[in-house]
Amino acid sequence: MQHVLITGGSGFIGSHLCERFLSEGYAVTALDNLVTGQKENIKNVLKHPHFEFIEQDVCDPIDLRSWKNLKAHGLSGVLHFACPASPIDFEKIPFVILKVDSIGTMKTVDLAIEHKARYVLASTSEVYGDPLVHPQTEDYWGNVNPVGVRSCYDEAKRFSEAYVHTARLYSDLNSGIIRIFNTYGPRMRKDDGRVVPELCMQAIQGKTLTIHGDGSQTRSFCFVDDLVDGIYKMFQSKESGPFNLGNPNEFTVKEFAEKVVEYTGSKSKLSFIPARADDPKQRKPDITRVQTKLGWNAKVNLDQGLKKTIEFFNL
Ligand SMILES: NC(=O)c1ccc[n+]([C@@H]2O[C@H](COP(=O)([O-])OP(=O)(O)OC[C@H]3O[C@@H](n4cnc5c(N)ncnc54)[C@H](O)[C@@H]3O)[C@@H](O)[C@H]2O)c1
């Protein structure tokens, strides 16, 4: 049996990844300090015989001796997904973000090198900043403000990419970098401030939907099942990436808000508040590279995905 470590395993994306790897016959260790994740997210797998949860900060010393899956199966994969990812977190816990994307990345890379394990880094479309190239291709270097309110996240992820890339070049790390574009679905925190939960919860609660800016900024929303499928394919390959993973169907935030109102059956109105600083004006992945190299495509359209997500928020 093969064993993978998923950092951030009780977060939104990490918890779906744990389930996918278990269902593919892997043993899984989820390491998480619950700074933004919740144990509730992994309640379906906590009692699984090949699942282990380690509650700790990935930046702290890691004592591998007690890990039962490691003892039994060694370590064939590390997926580094620990990192707060919401704009609210950029203001509240910026140093946590900078640390997990620097020290956390270095520690997990060392672990992968030591065990000759495949390493997948969760990077982000934010490495493109407020992009001047549209749609974004992987060879675009980005337009990032290094001293802005989002820089703790954007630049930290750029450092992570550089570290992983360098370890591949000089330390034989079998690595793959994925750049995730706005992903949504069940288990997002209802209050995490990202556009999908924020607008859905406002509509469900009958409140006015507040749109930052004039709503003409665009986003491309990828359903979590599609994303997890792309991550799994990346893990199984030897590709280094970076690969954009996202759904290329692009919507303005205003169009998205109107869909939310329609699918929740809400009578809420839209209102427009000042834009967030350095908020990207447009966001759409060019996924030609991942289509060609991994045969991956986003399959779930926004209508299908949004209905499932609203069902979850309604629980
Ligand atoms: N959801 C998206 O649209 C999106 C887009 C781009 C990139 N990403 C990346 O995907 C990854 C997962 O994001 P998510 O949306 O699931 O966010 P999330 O906040 O739900 O998950 C992050 C998890 O990491 C854990 N964590 C954070 N710092 C930690 C530390 N120092 N030690 C141990 N655990 C720690 C949190 O407790 C949480 O469970 C992140 O790396 C994020 O940057 C997500």
Side-chain angles (χ1 to χ4, degrees):
M1 179 171 237
Q2 294 195 62
H3 165 223
V4 296
L5 165 67
I6 301 177
T7 72
S10 63
F12 161 49
I13 297 173
S15 62
H16 287 278
L17 266 182
C18 290
E19 285 178 5
R20 175 65 187 263
F21 273 89
L22 286 169
S23 75
E24 297 285 350
Y26 286 80
V28 173
T29 300
L31 184 148
D32 201 302
N33 64 355
L34 303 177
V35 63
T36 56
Q38 302 168 61
K39 258 202 160 158
E40 170 78 11
N41 289 341
I42 49 171
K43 65 171 191 230
N44 297 341
V45 294
L46 264 177
K47 292 211 165 76
H48 192 292
H50 301 302
F51 180 78
E52 188 172 11
F53 178 65
I54 311 284
E55 185 175 336
Q56 82 147 83
D57 189 323
V58 66
C59 305
D60 290 342
I62 300 177
D63 181 7
L64 302 168
R65 286 168 304 181
S66 58
W67 291 17
K68 67 174 171 56
N69 277 330
L70 191 89
K71 263 191 223 150
H73 312 293
L75 185 66
S76 49
V78 177
L79 295 100
H80 186 34
F81 277 69
C83 178
S86 136
I88 285 183
D89 302 326
F90 304 168
E91 287 168 27
K92 275 202 321 213
I93 43 173
F95 291 107
V96 172
I97 296 174
L98 286 159
K99 225 173 130 185
V100 75
D101 286 327
S102 51
I103 297 170
T105 301
M106 291 155 84
K107 276 183 170 277
T108 50
V109 162
D110 284 352
L111 203 59
I113 292 172
E114 188 188 330
H115 291 270
K116 297 196 183 342
R118 171 79 171 151
Y119 185 91
V120 174
L121 174 72
S123 185
T124 169
S125 56
E126 297 277 343
V127 298
Y128 301 121
D130 189 5
L132 304 176
V133 165
H134 194 70
Q136 291 79 58
T137 52
E138 289 89 346
D139 48 16
Y140 174 52
W141 294 351
N143 176 38
V144 176
N145 177 359
V147 289
V149 288
R150 303 172 84 94
S151 58
C152 62
Y153 185 68
D154 302 1
E155 294 291 14
K157 288 288 185 184
R158 287 168 73 99
F159 172 83
S160 274
E161 286 201 13
Y163 192 83
V164 168
H165 174 70
T166 307
R168 183 176 178 99
L169 286 182
Y170 300 110
S171 305
D172 254 353
L173 178 69
N174 173 11
S175 61
I177 296 172
I178 50 162
R179 293 181 178 154
I180 302 169
F181 282 65
N182 288 66
T183 297
Y184 69 101
R187 301 197 193 136
M188 294 192 93
R189 272 183 297 152
K190 293 179 182 178
D191 59 352
D192 89 350
R194 287 185 261 190
V195 63
V196 175
E198 186 164 82
L199 296 180
C200 288
M201 289 313 297
Q202 287 171 336
I204 288 167
Q205 292 166 352
K207 296 181 180 160
T208 301
L209 273 64
T210 47
I211 296 178
H212 296 267
D214 64 4
S216 65
Q217 69 273 34
T218 66
R219 295 292 182 268
S220 305
F221 298 101
C222 183
F223 190 63
V224 65
D225 291 358
D226 278 339
L227 179 80
V228 164
D229 205 41
I231 298 166
Y232 187 69
K233 282 193 158 77
M234 181 54 147
F235 176 78
Q236 285 187 307
S237 79
K238 290 194 163 59
E239 296 289 344
S240 60
F243 290 153
N244 290 336
L245 280 182
N247 188 321
N249 290 330
E250 186 182 14
F251 296 87
T252 67
V253 169
K254 182 162 176 283
E255 283 167 344
F256 177 73
E258 285 162 354
K259 276 189 184 289
V260 168
V261 170
E262 183 189 335
Y263 291 140
T264 50
S266 165
K267 296 197 171 31
S268 296
K269 300 271 178 281
L270 311 187
S271 82
F272 299 86
I273 58 176
R276 285 194 165 115
D278 295 339
D279 197 29
K281 286 174 216 42
Q282 47 187 9
R283 206 35 101 46
K284 170 178 169 154
D286 181 316
I287 58 168
T288 312
R289 198 185 272 187
V290 69
Q291 282 171 325
T292 313
K293 299 275 189 183
L294 298 183
W296 177 84
N297 258 310
K299 296 185 186 128
V300 181
N301 67 36
L302 186 61
D303 294 354
Q304 299 163 326
L306 199 50
K307 280 181 189 155
K308 287 188 185 167
T309 308
I310 289 169
E311 266 169 38
F312 168 79
F313 285 139
N314 261 321
L315 289 177

